[in-house]
Amino acid sequence: MQGLVDTLEARLFVDAFSISPTVTIGFADAGQSSIRDELVDQAAAALSAAQAERCKIRFADPAILSQNSLADLELMRALPHALASGEVSLYYQPKLHARTNTITSVEALIRWIRPGSGLVPTDRFIALAEETGAIRELSEWVITRAIDDQQRLIERGHAVEVYVNISGQLLPDHGFAAAALSLVRQAKGRIGFEITETAVISDPDAALANLRAFTGAGIRIAIDDYGSGLSSLAYLKQLPAQELKIDRMFVSGLTNSNRDPLLVRSSIDLAHALEMEVTAEGVDTAMSLSLLRIMGCDLLQGYFISPPLPLPQLVEFLTDEAHLERLAGPGIEQWHASLGA
């Protein structure tokens, strides 16, 4: 087996370029099982283990392989059926426009509820989809579903913009970009894409080209989780984004930290200087909402405004004006009182 690795990793010369490929192999013993799917799962689990351990070759010994690895592979095998059968759905978290006190946009969040086992942790199956290559199919499903749901909202008199999260792994993919543009052209309302601040690192030229194609087609770009990665002014300057989303880790400390309010305020000023709107995530208290309004934050998102809602409940939320009336300006008196105490 090592001889095979050495052969595959031999240096290649293409035109004037030298290429040194790297190989990782996971394999299973056909004598351990006669069931093809089990063998494929064992080999794939061995490959994942080899990659995690940074070794070249990994044998799928069922006695050694983590049961979690096999369960993860089974989960990915179940995903296509889950998408087709309705196990996977979209929830929508409203974003409140601070100055007009209206809901102008929502973020689409994927949820997978399996019969008999309940909610699948979103971070888990998104990470698995990225590892196995299923993320493109999943993302195209999300965009299609978001566009269909937006059409239903428009028909009920709610013309809100819908934002979809795009994996950093897909951002440099020209094939995905073309497919996404084709889907968005069918939308009756405005669609936005949310990307993480580190999404363009793997292939900056391709990622930035696709982002420019998105903005050229009228798709708004929001930089998600700002502050949670290694941000730089030069990096932000390159991105053709219209919105900056401040990570909840800073918003949650607004009322009990000396530094977080300074960081949030400076981030708001920076974004405005770059001609971007600012969304604060994790707005979970009345005092945070009021402080962010005073700081000039444009959009507010969090459980104090609304948790993520399935489409029927979102329609009810948008229709019920009492929800918005309670958000008109609460909490600042409580915060001043707490400072005096």
Side-chain angles (χ1 to χ4, degrees):
M1 187 68 72
Q2 184 59 50
L4 175 61
V5 171
D6 292 341
T7 300
L8 292 173
E9 290 192 337
R11 181 170 295 185
L12 301 174
F13 293 92
V14 179
D15 294 332
F17 297 97
S18 172
I19 301 172
S20 298
T22 58
V23 174
T24 304
I25 297 175
F27 68 98
D29 182 356
Q32 297 287 339
S33 173
S34 60
I35 302 174
R36 178 181 178 277
D37 286 343
E38 284 186 3
L39 284 171
V40 172
D41 281 354
Q42 289 176 14
L47 178 61
S48 295
Q51 292 169 332
E53 296 167 10
R54 298 184 182 277
C55 63
K56 294 293 184 183
I57 305 170
R58 188 70 151 81
F59 171 60
D61 184 346
I64 297 176
L65 281 177
S66 165
Q67 287 301 309
N68 287 337
S69 297
L70 296 175
D72 288 346
L73 289 165
E74 189 278 328
L75 196 65
M76 283 299 95
R77 230 178 33 216
L79 181 58
H81 171 74
L83 293 174
S85 64
E87 292 179 21
V88 181
S89 62
L90 293 184
Y91 280 46
Y92 296 92
Q93 188 167 32
K95 297 197 288 187
L96 179 73
H97 195 279
R99 287 182 291 279
T100 64
N101 206 55
T102 57
I103 303 298
T104 56
S105 58
V106 296
E107 178 184 358
L109 299 165
I110 194 167
R111 297 289 184 268
W112 183 0
I113 302 175
R114 299 191 75 185
S117 57
L119 181 68
V120 180
T122 303
D123 290 347
R124 178 186 175 198
F125 77 82
I126 292 295
L128 287 171
E130 289 180 330
E131 290 176 10
T132 60
I135 190 64
R136 176 168 171 175
E137 176 190 4
L138 183 61
S139 298
E140 290 178 9
W141 181 90
V142 169
I143 295 171
T144 301
R145 183 61 176 270
I147 289 171
D148 290 344
D149 286 349
Q150 184 185 54
Q151 177 62 34
R152 295 184 180 94
L153 289 171
I154 291 172
E155 290 169 357
R156 289 164 175 77
H158 306 295
V160 295
E161 189 170 9
V162 178
Y163 279 82
V164 173
N165 290 281
I166 302 298
S167 167
Q169 187 180 98
L170 289 176
L171 199 56
D173 186 331
H174 293 300
F176 168 76
L181 287 169
S182 178
L183 290 171
V184 170
R185 290 189 188 101
Q186 304 170 33
K188 302 299 182 184
R190 290 177 62 90
I191 297 292
F193 288 164
E194 294 195 6
I195 64 167
T196 60
E197 55 181 317
T198 56
V200 305
I201 287 177
S202 63
D203 189 345
D205 291 340
L208 288 170
N210 287 338
L211 285 173
R212 294 185 186 104
F214 292 152
T215 56
I219 299 171
R220 282 173 58 88
I221 303 297
I223 302 172
D224 198 11
D225 299 333
Y226 176 74
S228 62
L230 300 175
S231 308
S232 73
L233 296 181
Y235 181 83
L236 286 178
K237 184 180 178 181
Q238 291 183 68
L239 297 178
Q242 294 79 42
E243 182 179 330
L244 187 74
K245 299 189 73 175
I246 299 174
D247 188 77
R248 65 183 63 248
M249 65 184 291
F250 299 106
V251 175
S252 64
L254 275 179
T255 58
N256 54 25
S257 165
N258 292 325
R259 290 189 173 187
D260 285 352
L262 295 174
L263 291 169
V264 170
R265 181 59 185 265
S266 63
S267 296
I268 292 171
D269 291 343
L270 170 63
H272 287 166
L274 295 172
E275 299 183 342
M276 288 189 280
E277 286 190 310
V278 182
T279 296
E281 297 184 282
V283 182
D284 296 334
T285 67
M287 287 183 284
S288 294
L289 182 147
S290 293
L291 280 171
L292 288 160
R293 274 189 164 129
I294 291 171
M295 290 179 179
C297 192
D298 304 291
L299 297 158
L300 308 158
Q301 182 179 6
Y303 274 71
F304 184 75
I305 296 157
S306 172
L309 301 169
L311 187 66
Q313 292 182 26
L314 176 64
V315 172
E316 292 178 9
F317 177 87
L318 295 173
T319 304
D320 186 356
E321 294 184 2
H323 286 304
L324 297 177
E325 289 175 2
R326 73 178 179 84
L327 301 172
I332 195 64
E333 296 83 1
Q334 300 173 36
W335 182 72
H336 282 305
S338 70
L339 287 181

